[in-house]
Amino acid sequence: MGHDGTQDDHDAAGGEAASLDALKDATVKINEAAEALERRAELRAVNLAPERPSEDSLKKLDSSMKRNSALIRKLKSLSEESRRGVLDDIAKTNQSKYVSEVVGAICEAPLKVKDVAAALAVCSALHQRYAEFARELVGGLAKLCVSADEEKAGVARKRAVLRLLVELLLAGLYSAHSVLLHIVKHLVAAADFQKDAEGAQASLSLLTALAKAGREELLGLPHKLPVALAPASLESGQEGGELAAAAEAYRGAVVRYEAALASRHTLPPEAQQQLRGSVERCFEAACEALQGSHVALQATEAENARVLNNRGDLPEDMAAAYEAQRKAFEGLQRTAAQLGEVLDRLLPELKQGVTRIAAAADGGGAAAAAPADQAQPVFEDEETRSFYESLVDLRTVVPAVLLGEKGKESGEQLDGAAASAASGEQQEGAEGGGGGGGKGAAAESGAAVAKSSTAGSGSKQVPAGDDAQEGKAEEPREPSQLDLLVSRLPGCVTKELADELAVNFCYLQNKGARKRLVRALAAELPPGALALLPFYARIAATLSQVFPEVGQGVVAHLEAEFAALQRSKDATPRTLEPRVRTMRYVAELSKFQVFPHGAAFSMLKALLDDFSGHNIDAACAMVETAGRFFYRLPETSTRTANFLEVMMKLRNARNLDARQSGLVDSAYFAVRAADRGAKRKQREPEQEYIRYLVYERLPLGQITKVLKKLRRLPWARFERYLVKTLVRATHKGRFSQIPHIASLAAGLSRYHPSLGVGLVDEVLEAVEAGLEVPDAGHYQRRVAAVRLLGELYNYKLITSQVIFATLHLILAYGHEAGTPPEVSRRLDPPANYFRLRLVCTLLEVCGQYFTRGPARRKLDRFLPYLQRYLLAKPPLPLDVEFDLQDLWDHLKLKPPQCDSYEAACAAVADIEAAEAAAAAKGLAPIEEESDREDGEEGGEGGSDGGSDAEGEEGGSQAEGEEEDEEARQEGGGDEEEDEEEEGVRMVRPAYQAAAEVDDDFEREFSQLMLDYQGRPAVAGAAARQPGMGTAAGLGGSGPGPLLPSAAHGPPSQAGDGGEGEAVSFRVMMKRGGKDDRTRELHIPLTAGMAAHLRLKEEQEAAEKAELKRLVLAANTRDQQEQLDAVRAAQQHRRSGARGYYGRGGGRGSGGGERLL
């Protein structure tokens, strides 16, 4: 008892000390507040009746501009620290001529709330000296409050200015409350949360500052003590003690404070009502906006949770938008709460959304019903599907009263439990049969529960394990029964045993038992018993139907364990088994729709982000266990495929050992096993053969062989498919094989002209399609199409008119008259230079043949259009400039010189005007390209398909000829193939050159001589092979443009008596293997070609003679130098041998030199 009395005395002393300190602190604060009110009242009295100095007194003060400028500078940086200095300067200077400047300086000062007291003192001092100061200052500050400045710094400055205006009104510098009323109305009108949420929040913040500054004086709200104490704390326990004195001092301070409040200045009630009504309307609007913002924020959170669950991560733009929305909501809530505290109003209640676990559980339930409606089964077989989807319905097996659910009356439920016990006793002998034994044991446990509930409901039970008893609502349980049930968990190795244990637990469950079971399911797994995980997961899924906290507890424990393992970074073998076990458990629970799929994918992503060490084993364990399930589930199929691709890329990029590589491969192919043999598109055998020839044989240069084999196809059926295959080969194959495609098309078009027409149409359509849809992903395809178009011109399948029409189309498409500007910018963006690359590619392929004739005139006409397009673009990047410079060098042209875009437009307009005028007069030039002109333009770079095919094959052609020779020896129909091959070399298939040509040959050759004499450019091209010493033969045996080929021997001069009057040539008439037919031809020296060749030979002979002379002279000089060196060495040996005895004087001489 003594001890208890001492303790009570100590407690009383402590309480008395606490009350004394509280009273003293409250007294000090109330006295400070009363003093502030008294000082404000005194200042107001002085400001209402100021005693301003006379003009004579002001004249005695310093009114210099220098001193006043210094004061104005100080006012612009007015703060609490500079308060004393500014007041001293005001007392010593005369600012009567600078009142407006002083007002402007105060309005420009970056005031803060803590500087309002200093500003009030300065303004009062100025008001007491200059009558016009207050009026100008109030007007300037009012304009500043309603200005449109919503930046963070601007709002803070407005808050301080508004507080200063309130203090100036209460201090008596002005009495017109209409100024504040106008500001409040403006702020309320600006607080439109629907149109401008940010501006409305700024206005709400300013209104809050106004309400705080004049809560009682302006708004008429009841006053509050700075510190209010409970009446019990004012009761003194001892008469005349220290506590009683402190209580008396507190009461005196309160009386003083109330007296100061009674003498304060307040607005009229009508003005207070107007201000309070405006502020309250703004507060109500803020509350409505807060509720709407909260609903929108919840919708955003739900959408983000859905995206996170589907994708595994949240896009950056969605995360940034959510963060901005959340910050705006929190700012609005904070400001509205501050205003509500001033107005004594409460914020509306905001309904909170569901938690993540509940949302995941709802999503899991919806997903659990989805597989029944899917066309493709999620699980491999019916047994597996039954294991993961057909769970025991506990509500039909276990009485509702034991599940904590409202059911029938307790008597009926107990009768049902007793009946279950009786049936269990009858089936006791049949225990061990699986499901029957489970039901019997469950019924027996139910009977025990019923018996204990009727016999000893009032007895006290010891809690199971370390868990506390739930309360009086919990049924008393024997702790040994729960321990026995938990000990049976490792023996649940079948579906029936797992279901039996789940049912039995329902007869023993309470809050502590559920926690104990969660710990056993999540944290007390036997080491290395990975085979038990599916059955543990089934138990958790079964009980989660009626006890959601069981599944949630297991999920939370696994998430925490995974996070701890990831943080530990322990790569020792002891952490391998926990990592693998955790991920397999997560996978099994995901199959039962207990573990949220989004959280599972987040774990897998974390493992892939650090794909090394034990993380590889853990990731592979999860993919092997649940990867196939996720891959077949529609809502997670795409994410699973993406994660699999990432895992394989990491496997290829990392230096994994054989074991880890095997694990990754096993996991990957366990999921994608059915996709390894992807179905190939079914095509006809002929189509496959066409693809084989075009994609595999043609790139090798075997053009003639491919041509012969393609001609054997049923042309009517497969011509269209061949055209499409050739077009696709331009962008699917190598860029260098496009000339082979054009050569093959040229050879085939001689037998099937429709193929050439169809191929040209397809290529032109591809070019125009690329202009219609300028997709950057198809740029390479468009370049290949343009390259093929140029090669088709080289092989004479199209004319230059098509080429230049395409060039003009490339530049003008989308820029025609009447095209909207937005369409033009979409089709040809200003900073896109891809069309220039197309033009450069096309002209580089076939532009070397536009050197004369109509083609050259068309090229000259096109260049101003190109220059106009270049000047319409921004400054070209370096790579485009280099491409254009290479193009000019390749074409050997000088680019058109236009200084500006207007000059280029004028040049184009002149060309179009001249053409229009000529067309109006009927004088427009008619330019037709004949076959001969085509040959002159494009024939040198690429001849007919058959001729170039032979030249381009190289070694592959030799192999093809050997194969053809073997085929000729085997079959009898090979002669026809030889005839076909010879026909390939013809210019036209309908013309067969005769073996012996007399008159026709002479006529054609005379025409050739005239062409060479009249066209020196062609003659120079014909004589471009001086090393061979031959004139140009006539390759090909048909009419039309004849092309130069290699000659068969050195040129011979005229006969014995010719004395150089003629030159003899050997001209090939037909080439056919060993049976080559040639004819000797004598050309007079008067012909330009013969004279040129004779001159060339003479120059070469003179050059050889000069070279021979120089070589002989150099040889003679070298021999002379060697002879002189030998003589000098002999002379030296003779002179050096005299100083030595014995033989070998030469070596002695050498040794002597070394000694010296």
Side-chain angles (χ1 to χ4, degrees):
M1 293 295 295
H3 175 76
D4 294 340
T6 305
Q7 184 65 31
D8 293 339
D9 293 341
H10 283 299
D11 293 342
E16 182 179 355
S19 300
L20 181 62
D21 294 339
L23 282 173
K24 290 182 178 180
D25 293 341
T27 303
V28 171
K29 291 181 179 179
I30 293 176
N31 283 327
E32 290 177 354
E35 291 176 0
L37 290 176
E38 292 171 354
R39 284 196 302 270
R40 178 188 292 176
E42 295 174 358
L43 183 62
R44 178 177 176 80
V46 174
N47 289 332
L48 289 177
E51 297 180 0
R52 296 187 175 94
S54 62
E55 295 183 0
D56 296 338
S57 300
L58 291 176
K59 289 181 181 179
K60 295 179 182 180
L61 302 177
D62 190 355
S63 61
S64 63
M65 182 179 294
K66 180 179 180 181
R67 188 70 178 270
N68 283 277
S69 298
L71 177 60
I72 290 173
R73 286 195 298 270
K74 290 183 179 180
L75 290 175
K76 288 183 178 180
S77 60
L78 179 62
S79 63
E80 185 66 30
E81 291 77 11
S82 61
R83 173 181 180 177
R84 178 57 56 190
V86 172
L87 291 176
D88 293 342
D89 290 345
I90 291 174
K92 296 177 182 179
T93 56
N94 179 13
Q95 299 92 24
S96 58
K97 297 180 181 179
Y98 306 98
V99 173
S100 59
E101 287 79 0
V102 170
V103 170
I106 295 176
C107 293
E108 293 177 7
L111 294 177
K112 298 179 182 179
V113 176
K114 65 179 182 179
D115 302 327
V116 172
L120 178 62
V122 171
C123 293
S124 298
L126 291 171
H127 169 68
Q128 295 169 11
R129 298 172 69 88
Y130 310 105
E132 67 275 12
F133 170 77
R135 179 175 51 81
E136 294 184 9
L137 177 65
V138 172
L141 294 178
K143 291 181 181 179
L144 187 62
C145 289
V146 298
S147 62
D149 186 4
E150 298 178 358
E151 295 183 359
K152 187 174 181 181
V155 172
R157 183 164 172 260
K158 284 183 180 181
R159 193 180 297 113
V161 170
L162 194 58
R163 179 72 177 269
L164 178 60
L165 274 174
V166 174
E167 294 294 338
L168 292 177
L169 175 64
L170 298 178
L173 269 75
Y174 71 101
S175 59
H177 60 270
S178 58
V179 176
L180 290 179
L181 186 60
H182 173 71
I183 294 175
V184 169
K185 289 182 178 180
H186 174 78
L187 294 177
V188 172
D192 190 350
F193 292 92
Q194 300 295 331
K195 296 181 180 179
D196 185 8
E198 186 176 357
Q201 189 170 345
S203 300
L204 186 65
S205 174
L206 294 177
L207 286 176
T208 303
L210 175 67
K212 282 184 177 181
R215 177 183 180 275
E216 302 166 3
E217 295 85 352
L218 303 183
L219 303 183
L221 295 174
H223 73 276
K224 296 180 180 179
L225 288 175
V227 179
L229 296 179
S233 61
L234 300 178
E235 298 178 358
S236 58
Q238 300 176 1
E239 295 294 336
E242 188 176 1
L243 185 60
E248 187 65 25
Y250 173 79
R251 293 188 187 96
V254 170
V255 171
R256 179 185 178 188
Y257 179 74
E258 290 178 350
L261 285 177
S263 62
R264 66 182 175 178
H265 171 73
T266 58
L267 295 183
E270 297 81 5
Q272 290 180 350
Q273 184 67 25
Q274 290 181 355
L275 287 175
R276 186 170 63 252
S278 299
V279 175
E280 287 180 350
R281 285 195 301 272
C282 186
F283 174 75
E284 292 173 357
C287 291
E288 294 179 1
L290 182 64
Q291 290 178 331
S293 178
H294 181 258
V295 172
L297 184 63
Q298 279 191 324
T300 304
E301 289 177 350
E303 178 65 18
N304 290 351
R306 186 186 64 81
V307 173
L308 184 63
N309 184 60
N310 291 338
R311 290 186 46 174
D313 59 344
L314 197 64
E316 294 183 0
D317 54 346
M318 295 184 66
Y322 170 74
E323 189 65 21
Q325 187 179 5
R326 184 185 61 80
K327 288 183 178 179
F329 169 77
E330 291 178 353
L332 178 60
Q333 186 180 27
R334 183 170 53 253
T335 307
Q338 293 174 357
L339 183 57
E341 182 181 358
V342 174
L343 298 177
D344 294 333
R345 300 277 297 272
L346 297 178
L347 292 179
E349 294 184 2
L350 302 177
K351 296 181 180 180
Q352 298 295 330
V354 296
T355 60
R356 185 186 67 83
I357 294 295
D362 294 342
D373 301 331
Q374 293 173 1
Q376 182 184 7
V378 176
F379 299 100
E380 299 293 338
D381 49 33
E382 184 62 25
E383 182 180 358
T384 306
R385 188 201 65 79
S386 175
F387 180 81
Y388 287 105
E389 293 183 359
S390 299
L391 303 178
V392 176
D393 189 1
L394 298 178
R395 291 181 176 87
T396 61
V397 177
V398 181
V401 68
L402 299 178
L403 300 178
E405 299 179 353
K406 292 183 180 180
K408 298 181 180 180
E409 296 181 357
S410 59
E412 297 177 356
Q413 293 171 354
L414 292 177
D415 292 342
S420 300
S423 62
E425 289 175 358
Q426 293 176 0
Q427 297 177 1
E428 185 176 1
E431 186 176 357
K439 292 181 181 178
E444 186 177 355
S445 300
V449 169
K451 189 178 300 181
S452 61
S453 62
T454 56
S457 58
S459 61
K460 186 177 180 180
Q461 283 297 112
V462 180
D466 298 331
D467 298 322
Q469 190 175 1
E470 184 174 1
K472 62 181 180 179
E474 295 292 337
E475 296 293 340
R477 298 285 184 263
E478 292 293 336
S480 60
Q481 294 181 0
L482 181 61
D483 294 338
L484 181 61
L485 186 70
V486 170
S487 65
R488 289 168 53 191
L489 276 175
C492 296
V493 294
T494 63
K495 181 176 71 172
E496 290 76 12
L497 291 176
D499 294 341
E500 176 188 347
L501 189 141
V503 172
N504 292 340
F505 175 78
C506 295
Y507 290 96
L508 304 174
Q509 69 86 23
N510 56 29
K511 186 175 181 181
R514 291 194 293 270
K515 291 182 179 180
R516 177 71 177 89
L517 181 64
V518 167
R519 188 164 63 250
L521 289 175
E524 298 177 1
L525 282 81
L530 299 180
L532 295 177
L533 295 178
F535 306 104
Y536 275 47
R538 182 176 175 88
I539 294 172
T542 302
L543 293 175
S544 296
Q545 298 177 105
V546 291
F547 307 122
E549 60 270 23
V550 174
Q552 295 173 9
V554 175
V555 169
H557 180 85
L558 292 178
E559 288 180 339
E561 185 177 3
F562 175 81
L565 290 172
Q566 287 297 103
R567 288 193 302 267
S568 67
K569 301 295 183 181
D570 187 2
T572 58
R574 68 183 184 86
T575 62
L576 176 60
E577 195 271 338
R579 291 176 186 270
V580 174
R581 182 185 65 239
T582 300
M583 296 313 297
R584 283 189 178 274
Y585 206 170
V586 168
E588 293 293 344
L589 290 172
S590 299
K591 290 185 189 180
F592 283 103
Q593 306 292 345
V594 174
F595 203 94
H597 294 170
F601 278 106
S602 299
M603 290 182 177
L604 182 57
K605 183 177 183 299
L607 294 176
L608 294 181
D609 290 342
D610 186 14
F611 199 64
S612 61
H614 294 340
N615 287 348
I616 299 177
D617 298 77
C620 293
M622 181 177 179
V623 172
E624 284 183 355
T625 306
R628 191 67 182 159
F629 168 78
F630 285 135
Y631 187 69
R632 289 193 173 188
L633 205 62
E635 55 266 27
T636 58
S637 177
T638 303
R639 292 175 61 191
T640 306
N642 294 337
F643 275 117
L644 289 175
E645 296 301 327
V646 171
M647 189 168 66
M648 289 303 292
K649 289 180 180 179
L650 291 174
R651 172 204 178 276
N652 297 329
R654 304 290 177 88
N655 187 18
L656 305 181
D657 55 23
R659 185 189 67 84
Q660 293 175 336
S661 298
L663 284 175
V664 175
D665 291 340
S666 177
Y668 179 83
F669 291 114
V671 178
R672 304 294 292 269
D675 300 332
R676 284 183 295 175
K679 292 184 178 180
R680 186 178 180 183
K681 185 178 180 181
Q682 296 296 329
R683 299 184 181 91
E684 299 182 16
E686 293 85 351
Q687 294 178 348
E688 293 288 349
Y689 187 60
I690 291 174
R691 294 172 61 86
Y692 165 73
L693 292 176
V694 173
Y695 289 131
E696 298 186 19
R697 300 300 295 274
L698 187 61
L700 300 178
Q702 301 177 5
I703 303 175
T704 304
K705 191 170 183 179
V706 172
L707 186 147
K708 290 194 308 176
K709 294 183 180 300
L710 288 177
R711 285 185 57 201
R712 298 172 183 171
L713 293 172
W715 201 256
R717 289 178 54 195
F718 298 104
E719 179 181 5
R720 183 65 179 169
Y721 183 78
L722 177 59
V723 171
K724 291 184 178 180
T725 305
L726 292 176
V727 174
R728 291 194 191 101
T730 57
H731 60 270
K732 288 187 176 181
R734 293 185 177 180
F735 194 70
S736 59
Q737 77 175 34
I738 295 179
H740 299 341
I741 297 174
S743 177
L744 177 64
L748 290 173
S749 63
R750 294 172 60 249
Y751 301 97
H752 304 283
S754 59
L755 180 134
V757 176
L759 182 61
V760 172
D761 288 344
E762 289 286 342
V763 175
L764 293 176
E765 183 68 23
V767 173
E768 188 169 358
L771 298 176
E772 291 177 355
V773 185
D775 187 4
H778 295 163
Y779 278 179
Q780 190 62 33
R781 182 178 300 185
R782 306 312 174 202
V783 172
V786 170
R787 170 73 184 276
L788 179 60
L789 187 66
E791 294 294 345
L792 292 178
Y793 172 78
N794 292 347
Y795 286 94
K796 298 185 290 186
L797 286 178
I798 57 176
T799 62
S800 61
Q801 183 177 0
V802 178
I803 296 295
F804 285 102
T806 304
L807 290 172
H808 284 286
L809 177 67
I810 292 173
L811 296 183
Y813 190 84
H815 300 284
E816 298 86 354
T819 304
E822 58 273 9
V823 177
S824 299
R825 287 192 295 269
R826 179 180 63 83
L827 295 177
D828 186 16
N832 190 305
Y833 306 94
F834 182 67
R835 295 193 180 191
L836 293 177
R837 298 186 185 277
L838 294 180
V839 171
C840 293
T841 301
L842 187 54
L843 289 178
E844 285 177 357
V845 174
C846 58
Q848 67 268 24
Y849 305 121
F850 303 150
T851 56
R852 61 186 181 86
R856 178 54 185 267
R857 290 193 291 273
K858 293 177 183 177
L859 179 60
D860 294 339
R861 180 184 181 277
F862 170 73
L863 292 180
Y865 288 87
L866 178 60
Q867 186 72 10
R868 181 182 66 175
Y869 184 83
L870 290 174
L871 294 174
K873 289 284 186 179
L876 303 180
L878 290 179
D879 55 342
V880 179
E881 284 192 13
F882 291 156
D883 291 344
L884 289 172
Q885 188 61 41
D886 294 342
L887 177 63
W888 305 135
D889 297 341
H890 180 69
L891 299 180
K892 298 180 180 179
L893 294 175
K894 292 184 178 180
Q897 301 297 329
C898 294
D899 298 334
S900 62
Y901 175 73
E902 291 75 13
C905 292
V908 172
D910 294 342
I911 294 175
E912 294 177 350
E915 292 178 353
K921 295 179 181 179
L923 301 177
I926 301 176
E927 298 179 353
E928 296 181 357
E929 293 187 68
S930 62
D931 292 339
R932 180 172 298 276
E933 288 175 345
D934 277 346
E936 291 170 356
E937 293 173 6
E940 293 179 11
S943 61
D944 294 342
S947 301
D948 266 8
E950 297 174 8
E952 293 174 356
E953 284 187 36
S956 299
Q957 173 66 17
E959 296 176 1
E961 290 179 356
E962 293 177 2
E963 295 177 1
D964 293 343
E965 184 65 22
E966 295 176 358
R968 280 195 290 269
Q969 294 177 2
E970 292 178 358
D974 296 336
E975 295 180 2
E976 297 179 359
E977 295 181 5
D978 294 341
E979 293 297 333
E980 291 176 359
E981 185 178 358
E982 292 176 3
V984 172
R985 299 190 183 97
M986 299 181 189
V987 177
R988 298 181 186 273
Y991 182 83
Q992 293 291 339
E996 299 290 342
V997 181
D998 295 328
D999 298 336
D1000 293 341
F1001 174 80
E1002 294 294 340
R1003 183 170 58 254
E1004 293 292 340
F1005 188 78
S1006 299
Q1007 182 65 32
L1008 177 63
M1009 293 297 100
L1010 293 176
D1011 290 343
Y1012 273 104
Q1013 291 176 359
R1015 300 176 183 176
V1018 179
R1024 209 169 289 163
Q1025 298 179 357
M1028 298 298 295
T1030 64
L1034 303 177
S1037 54
L1042 303 179
L1043 306 176
S1045 62
H1048 291 266
S1052 60
Q1053 296 183 358
D1056 297 335
E1059 295 181 357
E1061 296 179 357
V1063 178
S1064 180
F1065 290 87
R1066 303 289 296 183
V1067 181
M1068 179 183 294
M1069 303 302 299
K1070 182 178 181 182
R1071 192 178 76 179
K1074 298 180 180 179
D1075 190 14
D1076 290 342
R1077 300 177 183 178
T1078 59
R1079 177 171 178 172
E1080 186 175 0
L1081 183 66
H1082 299 282
I1083 299 178
L1085 288 178
T1086 56
M1089 181 176 65
H1092 182 73
L1093 289 177
R1094 175 58 62 84
L1095 179 61
K1096 198 76 171 180
E1097 292 173 358
E1098 291 177 356
Q1099 291 176 355
E1100 291 178 355
E1103 184 178 356
K1104 289 181 180 179
E1106 179 64 19
L1107 183 61
K1108 181 178 179 180
R1109 186 186 64 80
L1110 293 176
V1111 171
L1112 291 176
N1115 190 20
T1116 303
R1117 187 167 55 254
D1118 292 342
Q1119 291 179 357
Q1120 184 64 33
E1121 291 177 356
Q1122 292 177 0
L1123 183 59
D1124 294 342
V1126 170
R1127 291 176 179 174
Q1130 293 176 354
Q1131 184 68 24
H1132 184 68
R1133 283 197 299 269
R1134 291 193 189 98
S1135 60
R1138 297 174 182 176
Y1140 294 90
Y1141 298 95
R1143 304 175 63 181
R1147 280 191 287 267
S1149 175
E1153 290 179 357
R1154 283 195 295 270
L1155 290 174
L1156 291 175

